[in-house]
């Protein structure tokens, strides 16, 4: 059964554009991983510091593999996370 992860990110003041600049590489890397069915990021039109990630994975193993991948470690944990003041994620199963 596939899993959907929805993550809310809030960039720190002054880091908004740097986060946005990293997101195409994050998306490209994620979509190249086995088991990643979709990966999209949107940015709020009202609050340019607010981003939402929508990702769908074949199963929990694909999600774990994504989180252990080099691009996730480099681009998200090392690149984007230090630029955020809030980061929350929730996993959902399809009904």
């Amino acid at each position: 059964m596939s899993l959907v992860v929805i993550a809310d990110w809030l960039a720190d003041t002054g880091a908004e554009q740097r986060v946005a600049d990293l997101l195409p590489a994050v998306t490209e890397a994620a979509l190249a991983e086995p088991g990643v069915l979709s990966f999209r990021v949107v940015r709020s039109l009202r609050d340019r510091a607010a981003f939402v990630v929508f990702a769908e994975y074949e199963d929990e193993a694909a999600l774990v593999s994504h989180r252990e991948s080099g691009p996730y470690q480099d681009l998200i944990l090392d690149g984007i996370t230090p630029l955020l003041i809030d980061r929350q994620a929730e996993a959902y199963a399809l009904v």
Side-chain angles (χ1 to χ4, degrees):
M1 173 187 332
S2 68
L3 295 175
V4 174
V5 173
I6 301 174
D8 292 304
W9 293 349
L10 187 61
D12 200 357
T13 302
E16 303 92 331
Q17 193 55 48
R18 180 68 183 134
V19 170
D21 291 344
L22 290 168
L23 290 172
V26 170
T27 300
E28 182 179 346
L31 290 172
E33 295 174 19
V36 177
L37 302 176
S38 66
F39 194 94
R40 300 188 67 173
V41 183
V42 295
R43 186 177 191 180
S44 173
L45 295 175
R46 181 182 51 82
D47 180 355
R48 303 299 283 167
F51 299 86
V52 179
V53 178
F54 299 92
E56 185 176 2
Y57 304 91
E58 282 182 1
D59 52 25
E60 189 171 350
L63 171 58
V64 169
S65 179
H66 167 70
R67 289 184 174 164
E68 292 175 348
S69 72
Y72 181 89
Q73 299 293 318
D74 295 342
L75 295 169
I76 295 178
L77 292 184
D78 295 340
I80 292 176
T81 299
L83 303 173
L84 304 178
I85 56 174
D86 190 31
R87 176 178 178 236
Q88 299 180 35
E90 184 73 33
Y92 297 87
L94 294 180
V95 181

